[in-house]
């Protein structure tokens, strides 16, 4: 029962990781999740199916009574091994809002099996018998109300109300005298109904306690790789309205060694991006600073440095290709192989606008000559690369590809003569189009996980943009 209710409440499953930093009271979330009415109904149906499979079979306590039977006298009866082995629910609904989330299942039926036994004494002997019976419970209604509160980056769950009501019971005895049937019906019908009501209510309370414990033990980070993790601490209590459930997590990237990512980001005004998702089950909104902190973490970890050498068999990695671009280089090192050291000088700048995502990348390209076993730096070129990014959903990850729009360059330094920058432009264009952009896209297409619980996957995802945010609106599948 915990897993589907967990989805309905937080829509998150987080892999094990170290605890995150304590949150400040004014911290805001950079990843928002919204379940529409359609999504809530879907989650509710999954919840009910899982809840039934979790509580079944449910053992009820034995029931004993001594009753007076006409012409027989006082008879001691006992019902044992009372087990609910199936439950069917005909209708259900969820209400969100104050004071919390209400789930009601009505028109339910339940099937029970049990053992019966009786004994009574005459002035000569003790008479006893036993057998089994089946019970049909009809018109059962189950309801619960829960509330959620963010506390120190986690969610606390409390049960406000819980109840179960049984309307009608039918008992069928296998074996036994005819008088026994009416005796058991008269003596135990109400007791069986109460036992069912109490057992189901007790089981729900036990599962809520387990779920609260699970919420408290949630890890605070989603590991991406050995370098970075996603801060998955909650920043506020869930917002419950009559049309959606919304949650916010911090969502910024951090280093796995607890590198302190700056927190002076401005989220801007809260957008109405969720209005784009009424026909879908779930909306996941990501602020551009989720991606900006990712770049910062990888830059500080030393991951944004690449060496391009002749193992890739590119013609521009020989001084002969630079004969007219860099004449002094060719004269001093004719037909020498070359390598290029590409290093990011600052983290990429991601800007999300209504018409898409733009990325600016800042690089230094150091030109090296390979002279026997020596690597000789001869020049450095600074680049500003302007690219567009096309995001896409791959399974439960958000991935993307860059497309080069333009670039500017300048000579940072040269050890041997001048570089004809106008003639160098085609060489740099070839480097970017055939080496750098494909390499970056290879990593971007690996994607990073969206905060979804295990077993659920996105289907028919759509992308929407607004100033500083991107949202994926999607339906859900559960397997």
């Amino acid at each position: 029962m915990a897993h589907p209710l967990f989805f309905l409440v937080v829509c998150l499953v987080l892999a094990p990781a170290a605890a995150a930093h304590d949150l400040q009271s004014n911290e805001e979330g950079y990843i928002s999740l919204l379940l529409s009415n359609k999504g809530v109904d879907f989650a509710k149906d999954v919840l009910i199916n899982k809840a039934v499979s979790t509580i079944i079979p449910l053992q009820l306590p034995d029931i004993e009574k001594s009753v007076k039977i006409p012409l027989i006298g006082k008879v001691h009866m006992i019902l044992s091994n009372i087990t609910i082995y199936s439950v069917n629910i005909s209708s259900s609904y969820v209400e969100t809002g104050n004071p919390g989330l209400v789930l009601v299942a009505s028109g339910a039926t339940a099937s029970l099996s049990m053992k019966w036994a009786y004994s009574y004494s005459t002035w000569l002997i003790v008479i006893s018998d036993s057998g089994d019976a089946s019970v049909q419970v009809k018109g059962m209604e189950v309801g619960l109300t829960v509330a959620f509160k963010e506390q120190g980056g986690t969610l606390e769950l409390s049960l406000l109300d819980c109840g179960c009501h049984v309307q009608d019971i039918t008992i069928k005895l296998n074996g036994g005298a005819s008088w026994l049937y009416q005796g058991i019906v008269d003596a135990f019908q109400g007791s069986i109904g109460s036992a069912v009501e109490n057992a189901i209510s007790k089981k729900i309370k036990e599962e809520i306690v387990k779920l609260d414990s699970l919420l408290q033990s949630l890890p605070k980070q989603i590991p991406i790789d050995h370098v970075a993790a996603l801060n998955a601490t909650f920043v506020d209590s869930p917002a419950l309205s009559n049309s959606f459930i919304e949650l916010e997590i911090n969502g910024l990237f951090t280093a796995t060694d607890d590198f302190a990512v700056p927190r002076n980001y401005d989220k801007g005004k809260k957008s109405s991006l969720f209005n784009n998702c009424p026909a879908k089950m779930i909306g996941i909104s990501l602020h551009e600073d989720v991606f900006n902190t990712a770049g910062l973490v990888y830059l500080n970890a030393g991951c944004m440095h690449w060496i391009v050498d002749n193992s890739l068999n590119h013609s521009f990695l020989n001084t002969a290709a630079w004969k007219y671009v860099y004449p002094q280089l060719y004269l001093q090192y004719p037909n020498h192989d070359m390598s290029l050291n590409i290093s990011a000088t600052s983290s990429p700048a991601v800007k999300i606008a209504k018409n898409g995502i733009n990325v600016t990348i800042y690089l230094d390209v150091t030109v090296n000559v390979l002279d026997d076993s020596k690597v000789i730096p001869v020049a450095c070129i600074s680049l500003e690369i302007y690219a567009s990014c096309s995001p896409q959903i791959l399974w439960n990850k958000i991935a993307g590809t860059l497309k080069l729009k333009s670039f500017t360059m300048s000579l940072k330094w040269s050890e041997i003569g001048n570089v004809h920058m106008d003639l160098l432009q085609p060489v740099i264009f070839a480097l970017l189009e055939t080496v750098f952009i494909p390499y970056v896209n290879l990593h971007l297409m690996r994607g990073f996980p969206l905060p979804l619980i295990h077993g659920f996957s996105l289907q028919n995802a759509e992308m929407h943009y607004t100033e500083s945010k991107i949202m994926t609106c999607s339906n859900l599948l559960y397997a």
Side-chain angles (χ1 to χ4, degrees), residues 28-232:
E28 295 184 277
Y30 291 84
I31 295 182
S32 300
L33 300 100
L34 179 139
L35 272 181
S36 66
N37 278 338
K38 186 177 179 181
V40 171
D41 285 340
F42 176 82
K44 175 259 299 178
D45 292 338
V46 173
L47 161 64
I48 289 174
N49 290 334
K50 281 292 183 180
V52 169
S53 64
T54 299
I55 68 173
I56 300 302
L58 180 60
Q59 193 79 27
L60 277 60
D62 295 348
I63 305 173
E64 293 187 54
K65 277 191 175 183
S66 293
V67 295
K68 273 193 172 184
I69 305 294
L71 304 178
I72 300 293
K74 189 175 182 181
V75 179
H76 180 71
M77 298 181 177
I78 181 170
L79 303 182
S80 61
N81 293 331
I82 308 170
T83 304
I84 302 176
Y85 63 87
S86 73
V87 173
N88 293 302
I89 297 173
S90 61
S91 63
S92 59
Y93 66 89
V94 173
E95 290 182 355
T96 56
N98 289 326
L101 185 146
V102 179
L103 173 61
V104 176
S106 58
T109 61
S111 298
L112 293 79
S113 61
M114 63 181 182
K115 301 289 187 181
W116 59 264
Y118 73 87
S119 63
Y120 66 93
S121 301
T122 68
W123 63 281
L124 290 176
I125 57 174
V126 175
I127 299 173
S128 63
D129 197 3
S130 62
D132 54 51
S134 60
V135 179
Q136 288 293 317
V137 175
K138 299 178 181 179
M140 184 167 62
E141 183 171 291
V142 181
L144 69 154
T145 303
V146 292
F148 313 97
K149 181 182 179 182
E150 181 273 329
Q151 184 67 39
T154 62
L155 285 181
E156 290 185 351
L157 173 65
S158 57
L159 181 64
L160 303 181
D161 192 19
C162 173
C164 176
H165 174 70
V166 171
Q167 182 176 344
D168 185 47
I169 289 180
T170 301
I171 303 173
K172 180 181 179 182
L173 267 64
N174 298 318
S178 59
W179 61 262
L180 177 64
Y181 170 78
Q182 192 60 47
I184 287 183
V185 170
D186 292 341
F188 292 102
Q189 193 172 47
S191 299
I192 294 173
S194 297
V196 171
E197 293 169 348
N198 294 335
I200 290 180
S201 297
K202 180 182 178 182
K203 187 65 176 178
I204 289 174
K205 292 175 182 177
E206 291 173 353
E207 293 300 324
I208 292 296
V209 171
K210 292 178 183 178
L211 178 54
D212 181 56
S213 177
L214 174 62
L215 291 173
Q216 301 307 309
S217 65
L218 275 177
K220 303 297 195 303
Q221 293 181 336
I222 303 175
I224 305 300
D225 51 30
H226 68 286
V227 173
L230 194 71
N231 186 337

Side-chain angles (χ1 to χ4, degrees), residues 276-339:
N276 293 311
C277 293
K280 298 290 186 177
M281 295 180 182
I282 188 171
I284 305 176
S285 170
L286 297 94
H287 192 273
E288 62 190 26
D289 285 331
V290 173
F291 308 104
N292 285 322
T293 53
L296 183 60
V297 168
Y298 284 104
L299 177 71
N300 281 279
C303 297
M304 293 189 177
H305 177 80
W306 309 274
I307 297 177
V308 181
D309 57 30
N310 216 21
S311 62
L312 298 174
N313 198 28
H314 288 292
S315 61
F316 57 76
L317 292 177
N318 188 282
T319 56
W322 297 64
K323 183 175 182 179
Y324 302 106
V325 174
Y326 200 176
Q328 294 299 321
L329 173 65
Y330 180 72
L331 289 175
Q332 190 165 339
Y333 300 101
N335 294 312
H336 278 60
D337 287 335
M338 302 169 62
S339 68

